[in-house]
Amino acid sequence: MKRIIPVATGILAGFLAASVFFASSPNVGPKTVADDGKAKNNAEKVYVPFGQKDEFYLMSSGGHSGQLFVIGVPSLRRIRTVPIFSPDPATGYGYDKESKAMLGGYTWGDFHHPSLSETNGEYDGKFLFANDVGNNRIAALDLSTFTTKDMIHLPNTSGPHASVFVTQNSEYIFAPTRFSVPLGRKYESLDDYSQKYKGILSAVTFDQKQKKLNLAYQVVLPPWSFDLSDAGKKVSGDWIVMTTYNTEEATTNMEINASQNDRDYLVLVNWKELEQKVKNGECDVVDGVKMIDPLKHKGSIYLVPVAKSPHGVDVTPDGKHYIASGKLAPLMTEFSWEKTFDAIKNKKFSGEKNGMPVLDYKSVMEYEVNPENALGPLHTQFDDKGFAYTTMFISSEVVKWKYDTGEVVDRVPVQYSPGHLSAAEGDTAAPKGHWVVALNKLAKDTYLSVGPSHPESMQLIDISGDKMQVVDSAPIDPEPHYAQMIKADKIKTINVYPKDANNPLAVHKQDQTRIERKGNEVHVYGIAMRSKFIFDAKAKRPDAVTVKEGDHVFFHMTNIDLDEDITHGFGIIEYDLNMEMQPGETKTLEFVANKAGTFPIYCTNFCSALHQEMNGYLLVEPK
C-alpha cells in the first residue's frame, strides 16, 4: 500500500514535475495541420455534416460571466449562451419585469457548477440547476425552453462554490459554502473565527410543476471551506459526500496557513435521516431557517480523512465507491461505501471533530492510486466499461484507470492545467462512454493571439478504444470550470410557447390591444407580429404610445407569430431598455418615463424582410 507523501514535498515535486512536463510534452507548441498525420482522421471523428446534429449537449459553466455555455459534442460548436445570473442585453434578460425581479439588482454572477436533474441516478433532461459563487444564489433552468425560471438567495452562506449537486431523484439540490461567516452574516472579529464563524450546507427543494425553489433546511458545520461534492447512487443513494479544505481554520495567508495539516476531511451526510429529523422537529429555527447542528443533533454526519486540499469527490456509477483526490498529494483514494456503512455500524472511529465522528481511514479505504509523476489530481469521471478518468492539474494530463482494481491503464497530455473534465453522462448511474472533454485553465500558444489574455480551452478526447486520443480542441470564454454532458435526445424543447388563455397580460388578437391608464400607471397590452407593433388597434396611430413624464409605464407584449424561430425584440432608444419575446410568449417591460421627449421603439431581433420597418414611438409629454 502506498503512503501519502508529505504536503511540502508534494508541492515541491509538483512544480518540478510541471516544469519537466511543459518542456517535454509532445502537445506543447503550435502545430499546423500538415504536421500531424492524424489530423484528417481526427477531423472525420468530430465532423457533424450540415443537416445533422451533435449526439450530446455539453452544459458548461460560464464562470464570472454568470451564463451557461451550451456546446455540441463531438463538434465542440457553441450553440447558445444562456443568461442566468447576469443581465444579457442581446436577449433582454434582466430588463423585462420578470427576469429583472429575479436578478434582484445584481449585475453579475460567478457560475461554476451546473447540475442536471436526475431520475434514478440518470439525467432526465428536464431541468438544470446553477450556482452563483459571487452572490450566494441558486437558479433553476427549464430545458424545454433553455430559460431561467427561478432563483433564490441563500442566507448564512458565502460563496456556494461546492454546489450545486442533486440527489438521484432530484429530491434535493445541495449547496455547501466555500467561505464561512457568522450566522446572519453579522459582524464578528476574525479572532473569534473558530467559535463564531460557521460553514453552512443548504438543502434546497425544487417543485417541478410550479418551477419554484425552496430552502428546506441548513446544516451548521465547522468554519471550513467546502468544495466540489457529489450525491450517492443506488446503495448509497441516501447519502451525499463533500470535500473540505482549511480544516486548520486559518483566516490569513491561506496559501501557507491552510496547508499545515497532513489531511483534510470528506464529510458524509445521510440526507434521508436529516430529512426525518427536520420533520420530527429535531432542529433549531434561526431567523426563520430550520437548522441542524451536529453538536446538538448527533448522528447522520461523519468525517473521513482524505489527502490534503481535495477539490473533488465522485461516486462511481454503481454507487459502491467514492473517489477523492487531494491536490497536494499525488494520488487518488477510492473508498468503499460498504466499508463505510460497516464502520458507522460498528463505530470504527478514530476520534471526533465538532460533534462529528471521524471514521478510521484504513477501515473505509479501498485503494490508493498513485500514477508515476502524475501530480495535482482534481476531478474524476467514468465511462461505461469500468474505467475512471482523472484530471491532473499540475502535470497537465488525464489518467485512465480501472476503479475496481486501481490499475492505471493509460494517460494523455492536454494543454494545459485541466481542472474538471466531463465524460458523456460520466457522473450518472449509466455513463455513455466514447467522449471526454478536458476543461483546461490555460491555452497559452494554442490559438491565434488576442493579446495578453489568452482564451481558455476545451479538448475533446476519444475514449472509445484502449488508448485515449485527443481529437479536437476549441477556445472558450473564461471560465470552463465544470460541465455535464447529456444525450441530446433526452432534451425535449418546445418550438413555440403554448397559448395561455389564463394570462391576463397576454393579447392574442389585434382587436384586444389597448392602452389603459390607472392614475400615474400606463398599461399597454400590445402585440408583436411580422412586421409591426400594435399597441392599440383602434387608435389613430396604433404603433405609438403617449405618456406623461413621471408615468409608471408597463408594456405587456405578446409575440403572436407562431412560426418556429421568429423572435421579436423590443428596444426603446435612449431608455436603456430591451427585451425579446419568443413565438407565443408574453413579456412585460416596466419603467418610469423619467425623460420627456420622442423615443423610437424598434424590433431588436431580425424577424423578416421588413424587419427594419418594424418600429413605433414612445412619446413622453413634459410636466
Side-chain angles (χ1 to χ4, degrees):
M1 186 177 300
K2 298 180 176 65
R3 294 177 57 83
I4 298 177
I5 64 175
V7 171
T9 305
I11 297 173
L12 178 61
F15 283 118
L16 291 174
S19 301
V20 173
F21 177 82
F22 281 120
S24 61
S25 169
N27 276 4
V28 172
K31 290 184 176 183
T32 65
V33 172
D35 293 330
D36 193 345
K38 298 179 180 178
K40 181 178 179 181
N41 180 258
N42 290 346
E44 290 172 348
K45 288 182 178 182
V46 303
Y47 177 60
V48 179
F50 180 75
Q52 297 183 24
K53 296 181 175 65
D54 283 288
E55 184 181 4
F56 294 94
Y57 287 102
L58 184 71
M59 306 297 191
S60 180
S61 62
H64 36 271
S65 73
Q67 320 295 34
L68 173 72
F69 301 150
V70 182
I71 296 164
V73 174
S75 72
L76 291 188
R77 297 178 296 197
R78 174 100 66 99
I79 298 170
R80 175 58 66 101
T81 297
V82 180
I84 304 177
F85 294 115
S86 304
D88 178 34
T91 60
Y93 181 81
Y95 295 83
D96 68 88
K97 182 179 180 181
E98 183 182 43
S99 62
K100 185 177 181 180
M102 194 160 51
L103 288 178
Y106 293 102
T107 60
W108 78 291
D110 192 5
F111 171 30
H112 279 222
H113 298 126
S115 187
L116 290 156
S117 58
E118 296 183 11
T119 300
N120 296 324
E122 298 186 45
Y123 301 149
D124 56 30
K126 296 178 181 178
F127 299 96
L128 180 143
F129 307 103
N131 68 321
D132 173 17
V133 178
N135 296 301
N136 306 314
R137 294 177 290 176
I138 300 296
L141 282 72
D142 184 345
L143 292 180
S144 70
T145 58
F146 278 77
T147 55
T148 306
K149 290 300 182 183
D150 195 27
M151 194 176 300
I152 62 170
H153 187 271
L154 298 175
N156 306 309
T157 295
S158 200
H161 175 265
S163 57
V164 289
F165 58 102
V166 303
T167 52
Q168 64 179 350
N169 284 295
S170 303
E171 299 96 338
Y172 287 95
I173 306 150
F174 281 102
T177 190
R178 174 181 174 184
F179 302 102
S180 293
V181 294
L183 294 183
R185 204 169 284 107
K186 300 174 183 177
Y187 169 81
E188 296 287 355
S189 171
L190 285 169
D191 292 336
D192 298 323
Y193 184 83
S194 294
Q195 291 75 37
K196 296 186 177 180
Y197 284 63
K198 305 296 180 184
I200 293 293
L201 168 66
S202 297
V204 177
T205 57
F206 180 66
D207 185 326
Q208 296 195 10
K209 290 185 178 180
Q210 299 298 321
K211 299 177 184 176
K212 289 293 182 183
L213 295 158
N214 176 66
L215 177 59
Y217 62 88
Q218 292 184 324
V219 181
V220 181
L221 296 170
W224 305 336
S225 294
F226 298 88
D227 216 323
L228 190 62
S229 309
D230 201 3
K233 306 173 182 71
K234 300 178 181 178
V235 66
S236 57
D238 294 349
W239 292 78
I240 61 173
V241 55
M242 305 181 294
T243 57
T244 65
Y245 63 98
N246 191 29
T247 52
E248 296 85 351
E249 301 177 11
T251 60
T252 186
N253 198 4
M254 300 290 284
E255 182 182 17
I256 295 174
N257 293 331
S259 301
Q260 296 300 303
N261 296 341
D262 188 53
R263 296 175 183 265
D264 285 306
Y265 294 111
L266 300 178
V267 183
L268 309 182
V269 179
N270 188 317
W271 63 264
K272 275 279 192 179
E273 291 184 1
L274 292 189
E275 180 183 65
Q276 190 60 49
K277 286 183 178 181
V278 171
K279 289 180 179 178
N280 295 341
E282 298 177 49
C283 60
D284 300 317
V285 179
V286 181
D287 295 330
V289 179
K290 297 175 181 178
M291 289 191 167
I292 294 176
D293 188 335
L295 287 170
K296 300 178 183 178
H297 310 282
K298 297 291 186 177
S300 308
I301 305 175
Y302 303 88
L303 303 179
V304 174
V306 69
K308 187 62 188 169
S309 193
H311 187 65
V313 59
D314 304 278
V315 178
T316 56
D318 57 15
K320 295 180 179 180
H321 297 89
Y322 51 104
I323 297 164
S325 306
K327 297 192 298 293
L328 300 185
L331 56 82
M332 298 83 78
T333 305
E334 182 170 330
F335 300 91
S336 163
W337 279 109
E338 182 180 358
K339 291 182 177 180
T340 298
F341 299 151
D342 178 73
I344 293 172
K345 179 180 178 181
N346 294 298
K347 298 184 178 180
K348 298 178 182 178
F349 303 146
S350 59
E352 184 177 285
K353 187 81 171 177
N354 294 75
M356 298 171 287
V358 180
L359 301 183
D360 177 69
Y361 177 77
K362 292 183 179 179
S363 297
V364 298
M365 187 269 292
E366 196 86 72
Y367 305 110
E368 287 181 342
V369 182
N370 188 356
E372 185 178 1
N373 293 327
L375 296 166
L378 196 140
H379 180 218
T380 300
Q381 293 262 280
F382 307 96
D383 68 9
D384 56 343
K385 298 181 178 65
F387 292 104
Y389 300 81
T390 302
T391 50
M392 299 291 166
F393 183 83
I394 296 175
S395 56
S396 291
E397 59 183 324
V398 174
V399 172
K400 176 182 177 180
W401 54 286
K402 298 181 70 174
Y403 61 81
D404 61 343
T405 65
E407 176 191 2
V408 175
V409 297
D410 193 23
R411 51 205 296 179
V412 64
V414 294
Q415 296 171 260
Y416 301 103
S417 301
H420 296 285
L421 77 167
S422 179
E425 306 206 3
D427 56 1
T428 74
K432 299 298 181 281
H434 200 164
W435 302 115
V436 160
V437 174
L439 307 174
N440 305 324
K441 301 297 186 183
L442 304 173
K444 293 189 180 291
D445 54 3
T446 307
Y447 309 109
L448 289 173
S449 174
V450 287
S453 178
H454 297 296
E456 296 174 30
S457 78
M458 311 178 83
Q459 285 183 287
L460 182 67
I461 303 173
D462 183 353
I463 60 169
S464 60
D466 292 335
K467 292 289 184 180
M468 296 182 288
Q469 184 180 10
V470 177
V471 295
D472 201 7
S473 179
I476 191 71
D477 298 347
E479 172 189 13
H481 188 89
Y482 186 79
Q484 290 186 324
M485 194 189 313
I486 181 174
K487 273 290 246 114
D489 58 14
K490 286 188 174 182
I491 294 180
K492 310 297 181 185
T493 57
I494 64 172
N495 290 330
V496 300
Y497 279 86
K499 184 176 179 179
D500 185 0
N502 297 319
N503 184 354
L505 305 179
V507 172
H508 298 287
K509 296 181 179 179
Q510 294 188 37
D511 60 6
Q512 295 175 338
T513 58
R514 62 198 185 276
I515 301 173
E516 297 179 353
R517 175 175 286 277
K518 302 174 183 178
N520 72 333
E521 288 189 1
V522 177
H523 291 261
V524 180
Y525 299 86
I527 61 173
M529 57 183 290
R530 285 174 291 184
S531 299
K532 65 178 71 175
F533 295 115
I534 300 178
F535 304 130
D536 185 351
K538 299 179 289 295
K540 179 181 178 181
R541 293 184 176 86
D543 49 9
V545 174
T546 300
V547 301
K548 298 177 181 178
E549 186 179 2
D551 278 347
H552 195 173
V553 182
F554 299 79
F555 277 96
H556 311 292
M557 300 298 299
T558 301
N559 179 355
I560 65 170
D561 281 316
L562 300 181
D563 289 345
E564 180 179 357
D565 208 26
I566 302 302
T567 298
H568 291 304
F570 189 86
I572 305 178
I573 289 177
E574 289 290 343
Y575 257 87
D576 193 33
L577 293 170
N578 178 44
M579 68 176 179
E580 70 173 23
M581 298 81 68
Q582 300 294 332
E585 186 179 25
T586 300
K587 287 277 192 72
T588 295
L589 195 64
E590 177 186 357
F591 63 99
V592 175
N594 55 12
K595 291 186 287 189
T598 301
F599 306 95
I601 299 171
Y602 71 107
C603 179
T604 54
N605 200 304
F606 191 90
C607 57
S608 69
L610 296 178
H611 164 73
Q612 291 291 98
E613 284 76 7
M614 188 170 175
N615 59 258
Y617 281 94
L618 171 68
L619 304 170
V620 183
E621 296 178 348
K623 290 181 179 179

